[in-house]
Amino acid sequence: MEPQTRRTVTQVVKMAPRMAPMAMEMMVMLALMIEFQKMQAEAPEVNVEAEVKDHEWSVDVSEEAVKARQAQLPGEFKQKLSIEDDEEGGGNTIYDELGDWIQAQAAEKGGIDNVDSISIYVKAKELGIEAKSRTILVFAQTLFDQNICSQIPKRASMLKQVINSERHEKALLGGTERLIGQLGTEHPGLYDQVVKILQLYYHHDLVSEEVCMAWGSKASKKYTDISISKKVRKAAAPFLTWLQEADEEESSDEE
């Protein structure tokens, strides 16, 4: 304590018998505050801005480092990361796992029609992808075969639990294109069933008019060869024409 402050405190103590307790306490506190302010004024200025080096902020984003960090995450988060990566990826993914499981169940039970829809949905939910549009792409290629027209009504309720956006609807149409392309060589009659397939999708509210019209307006190589895509859309022409005419008729009635 500085001499001047010590003297001030001493004087306050000597005056104590003549002062009320509260007044004495306030005087002591005032003396100590004066000392503290003086110490602050005399203290050397310190630069509190810490030097931040570039390497302290950099993050290794190499494939090996990302995998190492992902391996340290709890299982639930690792699965979620894998799902997000798989949305744009390929190869052996969680979607392949779902497709392989469905095909194995079909082989075990003597055909895809013997695999219960609830079991399929539960499996997708276990994998954490029951709401993903790419799951619909898997379903379109594994739940249906050359008997697709009789299979759609049986799967419609389950599919409606998953299809909740235009992206899902496009995946259903794209997966169906791919299925027809895969089976079309051995079962060329599938192209003749395209109109019926689309009618069933539309009837069961699995695809909307807007998505169907947009899909039919241009062939795409996103899901299958461009030649197959064109062939499927050509086969779909009567259905697309019916949609267009129905829309025009509805518009004229409103006028």
Side-chain angles (χ1 to χ4, degrees):
M1 185 179 294
E2 292 292 326
Q4 182 179 354
T5 305
R6 189 180 297 110
R7 286 195 299 272
T8 303
V9 174
T10 302
Q11 291 173 357
V12 171
V13 172
K14 289 180 179 179
M15 294 170 60
R18 292 172 289 172
M19 298 176 62
M22 183 176 294
M24 175 183 173
E25 182 178 352
M26 290 180 62
M27 290 294 293
V28 172
M29 290 180 63
L30 179 61
L32 293 174
M33 286 176 62
I34 293 172
E35 180 185 9
F36 177 72
Q37 290 173 353
K38 185 177 180 181
M39 290 173 61
Q40 276 191 317
E42 295 176 352
E45 185 177 353
V46 179
N47 183 9
V48 296
E49 293 185 2
E51 180 183 1
V52 180
K53 299 179 180 179
D54 291 340
H55 70 81
E56 293 175 342
W57 285 96
S58 63
V59 178
D60 189 351
V61 294
S62 65
E63 183 178 355
E64 293 78 9
V66 171
K67 288 182 178 179
R69 288 195 295 271
Q70 186 173 335
Q72 296 174 357
L73 294 172
E76 179 183 358
F77 291 98
K78 283 192 286 186
Q79 176 174 288
K80 288 181 179 178
L81 283 176
S82 296
I83 290 171
E84 293 305 317
D85 292 342
D86 289 341
E87 281 295 319
E88 301 298 333
N92 295 322
T93 69
I94 200 166
Y95 298 97
D96 294 319
E97 183 178 343
L98 175 62
D100 291 343
W101 181 87
I102 293 173
Q103 291 176 335
Q105 288 292 301
E108 179 182 326
K109 298 179 183 296
I112 188 59
D113 293 339
N114 297 324
V115 183
D116 184 66
S117 292
I118 295 178
S119 300
I120 294 170
Y121 181 81
V122 169
K123 182 62 178 180
K125 192 172 182 65
E126 287 177 0
L127 296 173
I129 55 174
E130 78 280 3
K132 298 290 184 178
S133 61
R134 195 168 173 183
T135 298
I136 291 295
L137 192 61
V138 175
F139 284 166
Q141 298 172 83
T142 55
L143 302 186
F144 303 136
D145 53 27
Q146 66 273 17
N147 302 311
I148 183 172
C149 288
S150 62
Q151 294 166 330
I152 291 173
K154 300 175 183 178
R155 304 295 186 184
S157 296
M158 187 269 287
L159 292 173
K160 286 179 71 173
Q161 296 296 317
V162 183
I163 298 174
N164 54 36
S165 72
E166 289 188 358
R167 185 172 181 175
H168 288 76
E169 295 178 26
K170 292 175 183 177
L172 178 62
L173 294 172
T176 304
E177 273 188 79
R178 187 177 293 176
L179 176 72
I180 293 173
Q182 292 169 344
L183 300 179
T185 302
E186 187 176 350
H187 303 279
L190 271 175
Y191 289 96
D192 297 330
Q193 299 182 50
V194 170
V195 169
K196 181 65 174 178
I197 292 169
L198 294 176
Q199 286 176 334
L200 287 167
Y201 284 164
Y202 185 71
H203 173 73
H204 288 285
D205 295 325
L206 300 177
V207 293
S208 64
E209 176 183 342
E210 293 76 15
V211 170
C212 281
M213 293 300 296
W215 168 83
S217 64
K218 185 179 180 180
S220 171
K221 60 181 180 180
K222 181 176 181 179
Y223 297 105
T224 187
D225 292 340
I226 192 69
S227 59
I228 293 175
S229 182
K230 290 179 179 179
K231 192 173 181 179
V232 171
R233 280 162 177 75
K234 183 178 180 180
F239 174 75
L240 299 173
T241 300
W242 174 79
L243 278 183
Q244 181 66 33
E245 291 175 349
D247 183 59
E248 292 174 353
E249 183 177 340
E250 183 178 343
S251 299
S252 62
D253 289 342
E254 291 177 355
E255 294 176 358

